């Protein structure tokens, strides 16, 4: 192993600094993954971290290392989400002024949370990249210290404290799977795990997971240097970073065993499974490691820990993911049923649905649908069902009574 | 303290039996409650327990104490939810046959989960009480052993293991708050905590929380014996029990310091706060202790643990609670705006909404609304907003442009 600019000693120092600010988050046994993979698997719950993500670790350690003169000038950061809250919270804890540039249209809960931690929030710019440029200008103009979301040795050392906690709580760990955006989190974790493993003569595998839509590491690792990729649309906004950092890239290249990618459906399925089965709220980026394990993209090997990096999901997005998941698994179906316009038709349909045990959730009864004769009405009805077979039963029952249902979503 | 039929020794025995079946669930620091109450507060996360609730503890210990002859006959239970899954899972682990009576219309996910654990599920009866009667018949007819959801010393001892884990993880605990239905959970926890406290010469306060809509303990404690109350509608179905048990009542009477009640809004608010701020999925019954603490119904005293008893919430109910919470906090608003029927009106409204930073989530554009003139159309538009003030801004902007928006939900 070559010498790196982040060492185990720095991470141990960060661990001391974080006491009383960041929490030692719990490890939760993952029954579902354990069964699926055939190796004892657990999850490190950084979604239960203060501010809802691991970001306060790096931010706090970075801020703690500023000189008194720098502290007096305050800090500035650009972020649409977790880094904003991490920096705002850390600055508040240390009594420093923080200015956060957030893009226009950033999710309301994240805006409110960042303001709630006492930061001055400026919403400007269409993308995080534009915000970064604006933040750099702000730093130049005011003298505030720019806090990069991942590409700084102190930030990396702060995130590395998670590696120490994993070793403490799962001493026999052999594989750790980590979501990857810019690479700050996995770099720090890998330094901690690999160095402890080296000193104790064992092997710990570190695997990174990116969202396929914006995955800069696979091509960068292939090229041997950071490569900029195009930003693709992904629900995993927290890890949609178009280029590895100058500090993080060498660490990932040298210390991470493998980086795999997951697609949008994998992420959505993981979020829903974590919500329904594991009772955890996890943002799509935070669920990347679990998604990769669920989809069988990582060969199981020894006791495994999946890092859940954050839980800050916009409730409106969560609603959409749950709805999508219910539809996809045959547990919710919307039907459009043309009805002859005479009394009693709605009652008849309701009876048929009740007869086959489909719970009616929503009904929309409209007239004058395009393409229908003047007197016809269309009934749009959403029902809760027990799965695809049950949906077929529902359709058969309606057809058997001479209705002609069309599945509007299933 | 009078002698009771459940002892600390039995709970310690149960603790050994549960190894490898139930998990020692994590404790999570509760920043929000700690700030609110001014005492260090944490949460015992039985929503992360296998099967999503504490019920497998009592079920497993109860089943482990059956004779070989009883085991061969199998078990039967009646439940709409967590007890069903607990018994099914415990029976599966021990290789016993289990039959579960679930009421008609029980939530689909709970039906599927119970079947998933290998139980024979019979859906019959309109209420859990009817299911209990049917289960008793089934037991009589087939010889299967009836497993009561709470009113049995072994069940109580099994739930009591949570008390031991709390003492292990929060050794300086002074107050423990527990959701209460039939009283099995709080009885066991109280035996463990009070007996350890007695032996070590300290005081630990145990407080119970019931849903006001169906709260049998306050009148029963006042009367000095179990009293049957009417079942009121509550989202906390898991603790809607109309009468304390014969075994649980004396334990609650003698060992529990206080039982308070929370109303439906408290429960919904707690579920949403746990979801959004704490990143935990908790069913309404499971959130009762947190609800009582959030609403200031329990005087703070020393390090406090709120027991989260379960996370099995129907996704459709979760969707409704989140939607309700967003509307209630001014973060979502649906408007009905009558539009003159000429081109460009939808575009104008869209521009105004964009101008004040309201994100449009859903649009419904309909003609022929009752009470409008023949050519008018009504635009129904749902927008994401940043709070009540922002909603006023949105309304003012529309009115300033001569539209007449009506708030359909806010």
């Amino acid at each position: 192993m070559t010498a790196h600019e982040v060492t185990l000693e720095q991470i141990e120092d960060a661990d001391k600094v974080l006491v009383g600010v960041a929490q030692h988050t719990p490890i939760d046994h993952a029954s579902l993954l354990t069964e699926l993979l055939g190796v004892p698997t657990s999850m490190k719950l950084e979604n239960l971290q203060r501010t809802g993500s691991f970001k306060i670790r790096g931010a706090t350690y970075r801020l703690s290392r500023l000189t008194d003169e720098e502290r007096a000038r305050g800090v500035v950061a650009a972020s649409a989400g977790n880094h904003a809250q991490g920096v705002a919270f850390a600055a508040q804890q240390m009594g420093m002024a923080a200015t956060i540039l957030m893009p226009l249209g950033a999710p309301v809960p994240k805006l409110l949370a960042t303001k709630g931690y006492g930061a001055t929030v400026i919403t400007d710019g269409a993308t995080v990249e534009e915000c970064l440029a604006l933040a750099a200008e702000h730093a130049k103009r005011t003298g505030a210290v720019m806090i990069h979301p991942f590409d700084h040795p102190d930030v990396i050392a702060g995130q590395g404290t998670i590696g120490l906690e994993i070793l403490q709580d799962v001493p026999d760990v052999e594989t750790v799977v980590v979501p990857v955006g810019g690479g700050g989190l996995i770099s720090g974790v890998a330094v901690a795990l690999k160095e402890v493993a080296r000193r104790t003569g064992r092997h710990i595998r570190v695997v990174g997971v990116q969202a396929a839509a914006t995955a800069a590491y696979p091509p960068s690792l292939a090229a041997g240097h950071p490569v900029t990729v195009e930003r693709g649309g992904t629900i995993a906004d927290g890890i949609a970073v178009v280029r590895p950092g100058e500090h993080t890239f060498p660490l990932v290249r040298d210390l991470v065993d493998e980086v795999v990618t997951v697609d949008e459906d994998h992420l959505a399925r993981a979020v829903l499974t974590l919500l329904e089965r594991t009772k955890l709220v996890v943002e799509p980026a935070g669920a990347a490691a679990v998604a990769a394990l669920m989809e069988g993209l990582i060969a199981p090997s020894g006791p495994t820990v999946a890092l859940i990096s954050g839980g800050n999901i916009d409730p409106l997005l969560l609603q959409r993911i749950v709805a999508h998941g219910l539809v996809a698994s045959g547990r919710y179906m919307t039907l459009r049923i043309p009805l002859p316009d005479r009394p009693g038709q709605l009652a008849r349909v309701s009876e048929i649905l009740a007869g086959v045990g489909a719970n009616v959730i929503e009904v929309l009864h409209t007239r004058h649908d395009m393409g229908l004769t003047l007197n016809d009405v269309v009934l749009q009805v959403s029902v809760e069902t027990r799965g695809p077979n049950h949906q077929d039963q529902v359709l058969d029952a309606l057809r058997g009574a001479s209705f002609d249902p069309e599945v509007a979503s299933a």
Side-chain angles (χ1 to χ4, degrees), chain A residues 76-255:
Chain A
V76 60
S79 163
N82 293 336
H83 180 56
Q85 294 177 61
V87 171
F89 181 81
Q92 184 183 51
Q93 294 284 313
M94 291 189 228
M96 281 182 240
T99 302
I100 314 287
L101 270 293
M102 297 181 85
L104 296 162
V108 171
K110 295 194 177 186
L111 276 176
L112 296 177
T114 306
K115 282 184 191 167
Y117 296 127
T120 303
V121 173
I122 302 174
T123 48
D124 199 357
T127 64
V128 177
E129 282 74 19
E130 283 183 42
C131 284
L132 267 167
L134 291 165
E137 268 174 42
H138 178 95
K140 216 171 179 178
R141 198 171 62 247
T142 64
V145 181
M146 174 87 166
I147 306 298
H148 194 278
F150 57 85
D151 206 24
H152 190 285
D154 292 340
V155 171
I156 296 169
Q159 323 302 26
T161 56
I162 294 171
L164 301 182
E165 291 179 12
I166 290 174
L167 285 164
Q168 204 174 320
D169 295 336
V170 190
D172 61 348
V173 65
E174 286 184 30
T175 300
V176 177
V177 186
V178 184
V180 177
L185 174 61
I186 198 170
S187 293
V189 169
V191 169
L193 295 174
K194 292 289 183 175
E195 182 57 19
V196 168
R198 193 184 66 78
R199 293 184 190 181
T200 53
R202 54 195 275 220
H203 180 66
I204 301 177
R205 183 168 63 136
V206 179
V207 180
V209 184
Q210 292 211 288
T214 305
Y217 268 98
S220 299
L221 290 169
H225 56 81
V227 164
T228 304
V229 296
E230 251 186 88
R231 177 187 306 282
T234 172
I235 53 173
D237 55 311
I239 53 172
V241 177
V242 296
R243 185 185 171 87
E246 300 302 320
H247 298 274
T248 51
F249 178 76
L251 292 166
V252 173
R253 180 193 61 205
D254 296 348
L255 300 178

